[in-house]
Amino acid sequence: MGETDGIDFEIIELLFFAYRDFISDPDAILDKSGFGRAHHRVVHFVNREPGLTVAALLDTLKITKQSLARVLKQLIDSGYIAQVAGPEDRRQRRLFPTERGRELALALARPQSCRIDHAMEGLGESGRAAVKTFLSGMINPVTRGAADDQDDTIEGKER
């Protein structure tokens, strides 16, 4: 192939294959409902943070209102997400998973969690910490805020 200018093709390809397989189980589940990966992301983040505002979700996903509107409408109309006006500002829209939405989020996360558990076998806490450091390092520092917020939620810190 010649000069590669320091490109780490091995890691790049491992990331491609890992992502392909990581998302394959949820894709199969979503396909049965006529949903796709955008639906998965919305259900995931709304389930992880019930009461999330539409504005915060847009910021987390880094997508346009137009892109979110279609997906969100389908999830609301199908009974997976409930949209409630904010208590102080009625224009603010807060999103909550319905019981059906929570079940879907968990069904999508279970096979992914199994893949993660399998990949982490034998790594111990230091290996897990190294994986988290690596994945965090892959996130663009400019858009890192949402991931930092998730770290706070995961570690039980108040947001």
Side-chain angles (χ1 to χ4, degrees):
M1 184 170 181
E3 182 63 33
T4 61
D5 295 322
I7 296 172
D8 195 335
F9 286 108
E10 180 182 22
I11 297 296
I12 291 169
E13 289 171 5
L14 285 170
L15 283 169
F16 277 130
F17 294 135
Y19 180 72
R20 175 199 64 197
D21 292 349
F22 180 72
I23 202 70
S24 66
D25 299 314
D27 279 353
I29 294 167
L30 290 162
D31 191 49
K32 293 174 187 171
S33 300
F35 293 156
R37 292 181 185 167
H39 298 85
H40 183 183
R41 288 187 289 273
V42 170
V43 167
H44 172 83
F45 285 107
V46 170
N47 184 63
R48 292 285 291 143
E49 190 176 338
L52 183 69
T53 64
V54 170
L57 182 59
L58 286 167
D59 189 49
T60 296
L61 298 176
K62 302 294 181 217
I63 60 174
T64 64
K65 283 183 189 179
Q66 185 178 2
S67 297
L68 178 60
R70 178 188 61 83
V71 169
L72 192 54
K73 180 175 178 5
Q74 289 174 325
L75 289 168
I76 291 169
D77 290 349
S78 300
Y80 292 98
I81 301 286
Q83 182 174 268
V84 178
E88 293 90 30
D89 183 350
R90 306 289 296 162
R91 294 171 299 171
Q92 185 182 57
R93 296 178 294 154
R94 295 195 170 273
L95 304 172
F96 295 87
T98 62
E99 186 173 332
R100 187 175 185 199
R102 180 155 173 71
E103 288 170 5
L104 178 60
L106 294 174
L108 298 171
R110 280 187 191 101
Q112 291 182 315
S113 185
C114 287
R115 284 186 186 276
I116 291 168
D117 288 346
H118 178 72
M120 295 274 194
E121 280 178 12
L123 290 183
E125 280 306 308
S126 63
R128 181 178 175 79
V131 169
K132 285 178 65 176
T133 299
F134 170 78
L135 292 172
S136 294
M138 293 287 294
I139 299 169
N140 184 340
V142 174
T143 59
R144 177 134 182 86
D148 285 338
D149 290 346
Q150 284 303 115
D151 287 346
D152 291 348
T153 301
I154 291 166
E155 294 175 18
K157 298 177 188 171
E158 202 170 306
R159 291 182 73 166

